[in-house]
């Protein structure tokens, strides 16, 4: 758009210059119309060559300017509008195209075809200055856009790093919390649980000693029942703490690290499934990795766990050959199938370009 405005301004100034030098005769009007047509065609091919990268369009634009400048040798009025061609040529990068107008224009001016050389030189200099201003503006605009893109890219990288740090921090906090729960569960089990067990055994021993004393026996029985209830409550609390502290993602990562037969790529986005589902997925993964080590010649494996709105999905795959020693009704695969059937899930095997196990376990309300 800026090119068109600049060329319109240059042509208007050329027309004003021609009016004050030679007047607006028929030849001047015809020269102006010729210059407008040539400028429009040259501009079109020049822009097209920049967009598409085609050299043919640039050649056509340069030849139009060259032909116009050469025609000025024979028609002096055409040279009065030569600054419009100068503006177009100076926009090219290659020197041959940039200065193609200079030789015929100089020949035309030197031959005396144009009596008012000063107006052509003045407007040509103005066209060169306008082209330089536009090129500088485009360069500054390009640099500004590059700076915007770089700033946006840095902002995206910063947001990604911040998100990764936040996720890592949340993971470390959860890991510390789970470790503390496990420690508390162990402390209760090892200390309080053992003390209660010893107390129960001691009360039972006292009941044997005082079998002939009903009153004391009833009191000891009440104490034993109370200690048994306390023991059951402690056991349930320990189990609840251990279940809350268990994290499926952490356990799968531990399995992947400890599996030495081949590298295992783990992709986990399974959330926090219920205890029964967690144990089912763990059992299937352990059995599958064991089968890979025993029956496959794979050099890499992958485990993927994804939580969907209605079900949990587990995919285990390797790039080894088919497990020939593990039949479709083998014990390991049958155990996996039975685990999934408890939840009314889907268990599917694909033996193509490796070995794949697809498991789908519906959520509680979707079964």
């Amino acid at each position: 758009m800026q090119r068109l405005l600049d060329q319109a301004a240059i042509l208007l100034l050329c027309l004003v210059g021609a009016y004050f030098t030679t007047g607006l005769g028929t030849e001047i009007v015809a020269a102006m119309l010729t210059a407008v047509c040539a400028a429009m065609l040259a501009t079109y091919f020049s822009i097209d060559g920049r967009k598409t990268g085609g050299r043919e369009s640039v050649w056509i634009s340069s030849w139009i300017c060259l032909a116009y400048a050469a025609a000025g040798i024979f028609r002096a009025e055409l040279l009065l509008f030569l600054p419009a061609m100068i503006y177009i040529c100076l926009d090219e990068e290659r020197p041959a195209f940039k200065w193609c107008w200079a030789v015929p224009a100089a020949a035309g001016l030197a031959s005396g075809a144009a009596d008012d050389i000063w107006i052509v030189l003045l407007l040509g200099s103005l066209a060169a200055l306008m082209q330089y201003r536009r090129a500088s503006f485009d360069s500054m605009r390009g640099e500004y856009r590059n700076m915007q893109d770089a700033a946006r890219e840095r902002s995206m990288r910063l947001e990604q790093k911040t998100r990764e740090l936040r996720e890592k921090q949340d993971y470390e906090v959860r890991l510390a919390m789970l470790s503390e729960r496990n420690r508390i569960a162990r402390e209760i089990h090892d200390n309080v649980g053992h003390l209660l067990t010893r107390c129960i055994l001691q009360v039972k021993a006292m009941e044997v000693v005082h079998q002939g004393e009903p009153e004391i026996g009833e009191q000891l029985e009440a104490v034993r029942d109370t200690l048994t209830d306390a023991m059951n409550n402690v056991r349930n609390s320990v189990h609840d703490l251990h279940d809350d502290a268990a994290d499926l993602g952490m356990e799968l990562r531990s399995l992947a690290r400890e599996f030495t037969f081949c590298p295992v790529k783990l992709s986990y986005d399974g959330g926090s499934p219920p205890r029964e589902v967690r144990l089912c997925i763990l059992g299937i993964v352990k059995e599958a990795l064991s089968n890979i080590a025993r029956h496959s010649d794979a050099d890499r494996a992958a485990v993927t766990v994804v939580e969907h709105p209605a079900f949990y999905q587990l995919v285990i795959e390797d790039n080894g050959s088919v497990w020939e020693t593990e039949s479709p009704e083998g014990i390991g695969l049958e155990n996996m199938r039975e685990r999934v059937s408890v939840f009314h899930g889907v268990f599917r095997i694909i033996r193509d370009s490796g070995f794949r196990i697809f498991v789908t376990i519906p959520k509680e309300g979707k079964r």
Side-chain angles (χ1 to χ4, degrees):
M1 185 65 183
Q2 187 63 39
R3 290 186 178 90
L4 297 179
L5 293 177
D6 288 347
Q7 290 181 22
I10 293 172
L11 289 171
L12 181 60
L13 291 175
C14 291
L15 182 62
V16 172
Y19 173 77
F20 285 107
T21 54
T22 61
L24 293 181
T26 304
E27 295 179 349
I28 295 298
V29 174
M32 184 192 70
L33 294 177
T34 303
V36 170
C37 294
M40 292 177 60
L41 288 173
T43 301
Y44 170 78
F45 286 108
S46 177
I47 295 176
D48 181 71
R50 288 179 176 274
K51 289 183 177 180
T52 62
R55 295 184 58 184
E56 295 80 4
S57 297
V58 179
W59 273 97
I60 294 174
S61 175
S62 301
W63 275 107
I64 291 174
C65 296
L66 180 63
Y68 184 90
I73 299 177
F74 307 100
R75 303 295 301 181
E77 59 273 11
L78 293 177
L79 292 179
L80 293 174
F81 299 93
L82 183 63
M85 303 298 115
I86 295 176
Y87 179 88
I88 298 172
C89 291
L90 291 179
D91 192 28
E92 303 297 336
E93 296 179 356
R94 300 184 181 181
F97 297 156
K98 186 185 292 286
W99 303 103
C100 64
W101 56 271
V103 174
L109 294 174
S111 64
D115 297 330
D116 301 303
I117 298 177
W118 64 271
I119 193 68
V120 177
L121 295 178
L122 177 62
L123 294 179
S125 301
L126 179 61
L129 181 62
M130 295 175 68
Q131 180 59 249
Y132 175 77
R133 180 188 61 83
R134 189 203 59 79
S136 299
F137 177 76
D138 288 348
S139 177
M140 292 175 60
R141 184 170 55 184
E143 292 178 358
Y144 175 71
R145 289 178 178 175
N146 292 335
M147 291 175 61
Q148 278 188 320
D149 293 339
R152 190 178 298 110
E153 184 178 358
R154 285 195 297 269
S155 177
M156 293 175 62
R157 286 201 301 265
L158 182 61
E159 290 179 359
Q160 182 179 1
K161 289 183 179 179
T162 303
R163 184 169 57 253
E164 292 175 353
L165 288 175
R166 189 181 299 113
E167 292 176 354
K168 183 179 179 181
Q169 184 181 17
D170 293 342
Y171 173 76
E172 291 177 351
V173 170
R174 178 171 175 77
L175 181 61
M177 181 182 65
L178 297 180
S179 299
E180 183 64 16
R181 286 184 178 180
N182 278 328
R183 187 191 65 80
I184 294 174
R186 286 195 304 269
E187 291 291 334
I188 295 175
H189 179 271
D190 295 341
N191 297 327
V192 180
H194 290 172
L195 290 175
L196 289 175
T197 302
R198 190 169 64 179
C199 290
I200 293 173
L201 293 176
Q202 289 175 349
V203 171
K204 287 183 178 180
M206 293 177 66
E207 286 179 339
V208 174
V209 173
H210 297 281
Q211 285 183 351
E213 303 178 25
E215 294 182 0
I216 297 178
E218 291 177 0
Q219 294 177 359
L220 291 175
E221 183 180 359
V223 173
R224 176 171 56 82
D225 292 340
T226 302
L227 291 174
T228 302
D229 292 340
M231 184 65 185
N232 292 333
N233 291 333
V234 168
R235 185 182 293 111
N236 293 333
S237 298
V238 169
H239 288 169
D240 292 340
L241 281 174
H242 184 269
D243 291 342
D244 291 340
D247 183 86
L248 180 59
M250 293 175 55
E251 295 182 9
L252 291 178
R253 292 185 186 94
S254 177
L255 286 178
R257 286 194 303 268
E258 295 173 0
F259 189 69
T260 58
F261 179 78
C262 67
V264 178
K265 180 182 178 182
L266 174 64
S267 177
Y268 184 80
D269 189 18
S272 300
R275 177 176 180 273
E276 295 78 9
V277 176
R278 184 178 73 247
L279 295 178
C280 174
I281 293 176
L282 274 177
I284 293 174
V285 173
K286 289 180 180 178
E287 186 69 33
L289 293 180
S290 176
N291 284 343
I292 291 175
R294 287 184 294 162
H295 305 297
S296 176
D297 58 354
D299 58 8
R300 67 177 182 274
V303 177
T304 303
V305 180
V306 180
E307 179 185 10
H308 296 280
F311 59 89
Y312 296 96
Q313 185 181 50
L314 168 65
V315 180
I316 307 170
E317 55 186 326
D318 66 73
N319 65 338
S321 56
V322 176
W323 296 348
E324 297 179 354
T325 58
E326 179 78 0
S327 66
E329 300 300 329
I331 296 177
L333 297 178
E334 187 61 29
N335 288 338
M336 299 182 200
R337 188 176 286 106
E338 289 178 358
R339 289 177 182 271
V340 176
S341 65
V342 173
F343 301 95
H344 305 286
V346 177
F347 181 86
R348 190 158 58 96
I349 297 174
I350 297 180
R351 302 169 183 265
D352 182 17
S353 301
F355 194 90
R356 291 179 178 85
I357 297 176
F358 289 87
V359 175
T360 300
I361 300 178
K363 292 187 175 180
E364 185 68 29
K366 306 295 182 180
R367 296 172 190 168

